[in-house]
Amino acid sequence: MVGSQAQALLIRGGDVVSSEEVRRADVFIRNERIERVGALGDVTADATIDAAGKLVIPGAVDVHTHLDMEVGVTRSSDDFTSGTVAAACGGTTTVIDFATAYRGESLAEGLAAWHGKATDNAVIDYSFHMTITELARPADDLVAEMVEAGITSFKLYMTYPERLMVSDEVISEVMKAAERQGALVCLHCEDDATIAVRRAEALGAGHTQPRWHAQSRPPEAEADAVLRAIRLAENTGAACYVVHLSSAPALERVRVARESGLDFYAETCPQYLYLSAERYEDAPATAAHYVCAPPLRDPHHAEELWEGLKRGHLQVVATDHCPFTSADKRAGLAGGGWSDFTQIPGGVPGIETRLALVYQKVDEGRLGLTDWVDRCCTTPAKLFGLHPRKGELIAGADADVVVFDPSAERPLVAERLHMNVDYSPYEDITVRGWPSLVLSRGRVVARDGEPAGTPGWGRFVPRGPSGRLIDGT
Ligand code: MN
């Protein structure tokens, strides 16, 4: 009966990993919270978990997901139940999904829509960013309204003019408001002018296949947009976070901006660390599985991203989980089948596989254990106003805990995973290391990579100030 609320639970003898150290310790949990961490000797509990030989880490925090999101005539194939079940199986215990206020819609309406998708459906805790697609009211008012509702980060797009893109003036206004109110601006950085020209050229020449998706969104388009983001952050004094950074030149700009002292941050995603543009050379129906934006890059970019992650130039790994089934990819945004690369729903699955995929570099000795926890758990929680409630195993924190078995092997084939998608981008990889037990506020939500949670257990987490890496202690 492990995990019922009133019971005390002891995780004994594991190697507890934080973003700063590894130590042998016990973790004592009661009433959904961590009560003590240390050598707890003869403490008694209602249930004890033997974690000898295992790693005990904070539940991972995925700050970039798109669950149950409408795209054209289709929608991302994981809803808040299947998506959070899969997240839990892979060791993620908090997600921050992108709520969106489309043009003509108020932020409150957009937020209410996402609460409606998630309420009573999630097996782990969740929060939302708010995507702003126009300034119908002064930015200060919009930001204040969201901060009041526990939403302290905003997403703005520099591309997708049809539905999402905003001008640099709008970005600047939101940045100023966010800076004044302790919020963080997250930017999708791809220069739309570059993309528009290249796309028109490709289509004009009759190039319709998925490889032209990548050709029309080159690394330079990302680097140019990141540079604009840096200038805007510099001018406004705002903290800024680049989502899904995919390429070496963009990374270099982030590194320089950080060295100049800006509160400038960037995440990358497993697809950019593990996959490359070679996937676009597959048969069109298969290549379409890998259409995402930014696109997959040539392999040398991934090497640079791993190095940036190790050195801390990249602070976070998130997933941009946006799954579509093969049938949805094939049908295209308008249904009935796509006729060129612009009509393929963009996104790849990943909410379940992030923690283990990043761990592979630890297993190879190329990334520290503490760096792994920092980039997947602690820094995302700190940057997005969830810390110290999430992202760290300390007294008073929510008992979101992963017991990670470093010797468990798992082939990342679709049949062994729980995302609602019929293919896996990583099917040729068998990872070493997988969560053997995952707790959300003291409740078991996954065991040996299989679901054990209950829809509705997960709650909305209102967030505190975002955008500064302040030590929570
Ligand atoms: Mn995204």
Side-chain angles (χ1 to χ4, degrees), residues 5 37 48 58 76 88 151 192 206 215 229 234 294 330 387 417 448:
Q5 285 186 47
V37 180
T48 299
S76 56
I151 308 299
D192 192 66
Q215 297 283 344
E234 216 166 32
R330 205 160 46 237
H387 188 266
L417 300 169
D448 295 324

Side-chain angles (χ1 to χ4, degrees), residues 17-360:
V17 186
S18 73
S19 61
E20 290 177 347
E21 61 172 5
V22 185
R23 61 177 175 143
R24 182 70 43 84
D26 311 316
V27 179
F28 186 74
I29 292 163
R30 185 153 49 196
N31 296 332
E32 301 188 19
R33 300 276 178 116
I34 294 169
E35 205 167 279
R36 296 167 68 190
V37 180
L40 301 180
D42 55 1
V43 71
T44 56
D46 302 299
T48 299
I49 292 156
D50 177 12
K54 309 262 173 57
L55 305 173
V56 180
I57 67 171
V61 177
D62 188 348
V63 299
H64 193 152
T65 68
H66 298 282
L67 300 173
D68 202 6
M69 182 180 71
E70 307 84 348
V71 183
V73 300
T74 185
R75 60 200 307 119
S76 56
S77 58
D78 271 314
D79 60 18
F80 274 82
T81 298
S82 67
T84 58
V85 163
C89 289
T92 289
T93 55
T94 309
V95 296
I96 309 182
D97 202 78
F98 286 93
T100 301
Y102 296 104
R103 290 172 193 151
E105 213 178 23
S106 71
L107 299 198
E109 286 167 333
L111 181 59
W114 256 262
H115 273 298
K117 297 170 201 255
T119 304
D120 298 332
N121 293 326
V123 304
I124 57 169
D125 288 351
Y126 58 90
S127 189
F128 304 116
H129 313 276
M130 175 51 66
T131 300
I132 295 177
T133 54
E134 64 182 356
L135 283 187
R137 291 160 50 207
D140 264 317
D141 295 356
L142 297 177
V143 169
E145 183 186 341
M146 288 297 108
V147 167
E148 177 71 17
I151 308 299
T152 56
S153 48
F154 297 87
K155 168 87 169 281
L156 299 165
Y157 286 84
M158 295 169 117
T159 185
Y160 301 125
E162 329 70 46
R163 290 207 314 159
L164 299 168
M165 186 170 82
V166 293
S167 67
D168 286 12
E169 289 74 14
V170 168
I171 295 172
S172 182
E173 288 304 302
V174 176
M175 279 184 167
K176 286 183 212 161
E179 199 278 326
R180 285 191 280 264
Q181 300 187 50
L184 178 59
V185 171
C186 305
L187 285 179
H188 178 132
C189 292
E190 286 187 290
D191 181 63
D192 192 66
T194 304
I195 295 166
V197 168
R198 290 204 172 212
R199 184 160 56 193
E201 281 173 2
L203 293 176
H207 299 313
T208 58
Q209 300 305 328
R211 77 170 65 90
W212 295 94
H213 166 76
Q215 297 283 344
S216 65
R217 311 180 87 96
E220 297 71 38
E222 183 175 51
D224 289 353
V226 167
L227 188 60
R228 271 164 56 210
I230 292 167
R231 297 289 169 251
L232 291 163
E234 216 166 32
N235 288 340
T236 58
C240 181
Y241 178 92
V242 176
V243 297
H244 53 46
L245 188 132
S246 66
S247 67
L251 172 62
E252 176 59 12
R253 299 215 152 148
V254 170
R255 186 187 69 77
V256 171
R258 291 178 55 75
E259 278 181 2
S260 79
L262 293 182
D263 283 315
F264 204 85
Y265 307 98
E267 81 184 9
T268 190
C269 311
Q271 55 269 37
Y272 304 116
L273 295 167
Y274 274 92
L275 308 178
S276 81
E278 287 160 32
R279 302 278 176 142
Y280 299 125
E281 303 307 320
D282 284 346
T286 306
H289 293 175
Y290 302 97
V291 166
C292 57
L296 303 180
R297 306 298 191 187
D298 291 333
H300 75 89
H301 293 278
E303 286 305 312
E304 296 287 334
L305 295 176
W306 278 117
E307 192 62 22
L309 206 58
K310 181 177 178 172
R311 292 174 181 269
H313 304 320
L314 294 167
Q315 295 75 51
V316 172
V317 180
T319 63
D320 197 7
H321 178 71
C322 191
F324 297 96
T325 63
S326 300
D328 290 341
K329 284 275 188 181
R330 205 160 46 237
L333 292 170
W338 55 266
S339 55
D340 71 59
F341 62 88
T342 66
Q343 300 164 10
I344 301 168
V348 294
I351 202 168
E352 190 169 4
T353 46
R354 173 185 59 132
L355 192 61
L357 282 171
V358 179
Y359 181 78
Q360 298 315 290

Side-chain angles (χ1 to χ4, degrees), residues 364-418:
E364 293 168 20
R366 294 183 55 198
L367 188 70
L369 269 175
T370 53
D371 296 333
W372 171 56
V373 167
D374 182 73
R375 310 299 188 263
C376 294
C377 314
T378 311
T379 287
K382 284 183 174 175
L383 261 183
F384 288 93
L386 291 164
H387 188 266
R389 184 170 168 187
K390 308 290 190 188
E392 187 144 11
L393 300 180
I394 49 174
D398 283 354
D400 293 358
V401 186
V402 173
V403 179
F404 191 88
D405 181 353
S407 65
E409 297 204 344
R410 199 170 189 90
L412 300 185
V413 293
E415 306 76 57
R416 293 294 304 279
L417 300 169
H418 303 84

Side-chain angles (χ1 to χ4, degrees), residues 418-458:
H418 303 84
M419 299 174 283
N420 184 31
V421 58
D422 57 335
Y423 66 92
S424 164
Y426 310 103
E427 64 184 7
D428 53 342
I429 298 176
T430 294
V431 289
R432 232 169 79 89
W434 197 264
S436 56
L437 193 71
V438 180
L439 305 179
S440 162
R441 302 194 330 270
R443 175 82 63 99
V444 175
V445 290
R447 190 178 272 115
D448 295 324
E450 296 302 322
T454 311
W457 174 254

